Amino acid sequence: NKRVNHKRVYRLMKQLKLKAIIRRKTKRYKPFTPEVTAQNILNRSFNETKKNKKWLTDVTEFKLKNGNKVYLSAIYDLGSKTILSYELSSSNNNQLVFNTLDKAVKKVKNTKGIIFHSDRGFQYTSRSFKAKLKEHKMIQSMSRVGCCIDNGPMESVWGMMKSEIYKGNKNFSFINYELALIELAKYIHFYNTNRITLKMAKSIA
């Protein structure tokens, strides 16, 4: 093996326009034991045309300039292809998803038989959340362990949202919580009312 000065390596890489790809450090989550779980009733059956038949949900996070985070919980209706309800909080807890569900339920007269699909996050595997779904006669469905594609459309919503808000800036962060609330509300309104989807494009054509 030949020893080479790191400055020479850097110079040669610069000439050849090569860049090192540094693998991001994997986040470490605290393990927890689910109180309840459910089968994957949805089973990737994403082709739905009637609204309020299948609801998907998840929580995602956004950074603030001060280093803190805000958490966005949303419920996505597969039939209407819209974000039915959402809730923003500085804490990722049970109340965040409870409030999101309460908002969605208020918009629908009859929730009986709606498939409610989520991942196996601690909020969705609590007995309290299970009881809320049972109260509204909804059918609980959960992604399999490590299979985020089981909740694919919801993941796509998050990806699209961050892509369009961040506009390629990987270090993007909101100035403060209040501005995050305003900007996310504006984007969700845009997503539900003005954004041209593939389905809309076909109808226009």
Side-chain angles (χ1 to χ4, degrees):
N1 294 334
K2 187 176 181 180
R3 296 183 65 181
V4 182
N5 187 282
H6 70 277
K7 291 183 180 179
R8 185 181 181 186
V9 174
Y10 176 75
R11 185 174 68 254
L12 291 172
M13 288 181 66
K14 193 174 182 180
Q15 290 175 358
L16 295 172
K17 296 181 180 180
L18 297 176
K19 290 184 178 180
I21 298 176
I22 300 174
R23 185 176 179 182
R24 290 187 177 184
K25 189 175 181 180
T26 305
K27 293 182 180 179
R28 293 185 178 181
Y29 296 98
K30 293 181 180 179
F32 72 96
T33 302
E35 293 180 347
V36 295
T37 57
Q39 291 183 333
N40 183 13
I41 304 296
L42 183 63
N43 196 26
R44 300 187 192 177
S45 180
F46 302 140
N47 295 323
E48 181 58 59
T49 56
K50 296 181 180 179
K51 65 181 183 179
N52 300 323
K53 294 293 182 181
K54 300 170 183 176
W55 289 358
L56 310 182
T57 192
D58 194 19
V59 176
T60 193
E61 62 184 41
F62 295 85
K63 294 179 182 178
L64 298 180
K65 289 290 184 184
N66 62 6
N68 293 335
K69 295 178 181 179
V70 290
Y71 299 92
L72 175 63
S73 166
I75 291 176
Y76 178 75
D77 177 39
L78 263 179
S80 64
K81 306 295 185 291
T82 59
I83 297 172
L84 185 62
S85 69
Y86 69 94
E87 183 81 3
L88 198 68
S89 174
S90 57
S91 299
N92 185 13
N93 52 30
N94 287 340
Q95 198 58 50
L96 175 64
V97 300
F98 286 7
N99 291 345
T100 312
L101 178 60
D102 291 340
K103 285 183 177 180
V105 167
K106 287 180 180 179
K107 294 182 178 181
V108 181
K109 291 182 179 180
N110 183 15
T111 58
K112 183 179 180 179
I114 294 178
I115 295 176
F116 189 94
H117 187 84
S118 69
D119 61 19
R120 297 189 177 219
F122 69 92
Q123 310 98 320
Y124 309 114
T125 57
S126 69
R127 291 191 182 92
S128 299
F129 194 74
K130 174 78 173 181
K132 285 182 74 70
L133 292 179
K134 187 175 181 180
E135 176 188 349
H136 298 298
K137 299 179 181 179
M138 301 174 75
I139 302 169
Q140 189 169 25
S141 172
M142 287 184 183
S143 298
R144 292 164 296 173
V145 177
C147 292
C148 59
I149 196 173
D150 286 347
N151 203 12
M154 188 75 246
E155 296 291 342
S156 295
V157 170
W158 291 151
M160 200 176 296
M161 180 182 293
K162 291 185 176 181
S163 174
E164 295 183 354
I165 290 177
Y166 291 0
K167 295 181 173 33
N169 181 5
K170 294 181 180 179
N171 298 317
F172 175 87
S173 57
F174 289 110
I175 295 175
N176 53 43
Y177 180 88
E178 289 73 22
L179 185 61
L181 181 61
I182 293 170
E183 292 301 319
L184 289 172
K186 284 168 58 177
Y187 181 84
I188 291 173
H189 176 75
F190 162 75
Y191 182 93
N192 284 344
T193 59
N194 298 103
R195 195 177 191 286
I196 297 178
T197 63
L198 180 61
K199 182 179 179 181
M200 291 170 63
K202 287 181 178 179
S203 65
I204 293 173

